[in-house]
Amino acid sequence: MSGSIFSLWQDIKDLARSLLYDKESACLLCETHVSGGQVFCDDCKQTYFRPDLNRCSHCGKLLESQHTECEDCVAGRGPKGMEQAVAWGHYTGAWREFIQNVKFKSQPYLLKQLGPPLGDFALRHLPPPHWIVPVPLHDERLGERGFNQAAAMASLLHWELGIPLWEGLHRVQPTAPQVGLSRKERLHNLESVFQIVSSSRGLKQIQGARVWLIDDVTTTGATLEHCAKVLKRGGAAQVYGLVLAAGLEKGQKKDYSASEFGVIIGSDRRESVTIF
Ligand SMILES: [Zn+2]
Ligand SMILES: [Zn+2]
């Protein structure tokens, strides 16, 4: 084989390899080759997204298929402010690592391929909403991290499904670390953390609305519950939680709470007025 023909053959092989095995056709979690348009390989779908399992009809955690509600929700300890929450996958292994890389290694671009499958999952499990609302980060944390992973997810769904974002929910207090706190202290820790800070026009937009509340992960459901209660006090009629991942029922902490919430109106937080 002459040099020029060999070089041409190498170019053809490189092109074929790039077409067959480029990043667009590799599983996001294990890099196994997947056919066009797929984001995850069949093994990862089965391992992390568990189509064989139900989701608790209230809090969204994954359940054995013979159950529709987890023990906490049956016992009245589930999130009380939401109609329903649903988790896309199981917070474990490579899926957990993926979510942590997005969040703690500042890699929000990893989310960009999730729009179509996440949108499809959401529409199959939840009724279409009027608004998509991300769980907010406090400004201090936003400054440290540079982005809000829940807001990035909400934007993906917005672009994928054409459903508008509502950005009037704010975290007005940083949350102290929960580790080592008693149950009473944990509950107190989340009180008054979330508030609606919106123009009167924005507040009007969610009156009677159905909302999807978006976060990356839920464990106890407390954050979703607190946000949902604030949204309902602000006028939302129905709140559905959607998260990338949750635990299996076994080993879930039983730490749901009721709390007090505030709603603030005004075009600027500094000018806003507490009405609840
Ligand atoms: Zn895979
Ligand atoms: Zn539940």
Side-chain angles (χ1 to χ4, degrees), residues 56 58-61 69-70 73 256:
C56 173
H58 296 290
C59 72
K61 76 181 69 157
E69 291 179 275
C70 71
C73 289
Y256 302 108

Side-chain angles (χ1 to χ4, degrees), residues 35-54:
S35 55
Q38 296 294 307
V39 175
F40 304 111
C41 69
D42 289 344
D43 283 349
C44 286
K45 285 179 189 172
Q46 185 59 42
T47 302
Y48 301 114
F49 299 94
R50 302 302 303 265
D52 55 315
L53 297 180
N54 284 342

Side-chain angles (χ1 to χ4, degrees), residues 55-61 63 68-74 77-79 249 256:
R55 271 57 172 174
C56 173
S57 57
H58 296 290
C59 72
K61 76 181 69 157
L63 299 172
T68 56
E69 291 179 275
C70 71
E71 288 182 7
D72 284 333
C73 289
V74 168
R77 294 186 294 262
E249 178 175 20
Y256 302 108

Side-chain angles (χ1 to χ4, degrees), residues 58 72 109 117 125 140 220 227 240 251 259 261:
H58 296 290
D72 284 333
Y109 52 84
H125 288 82
E140 282 181 16
T220 67
C227 289
Y240 290 83
S259 187
F261 308 96

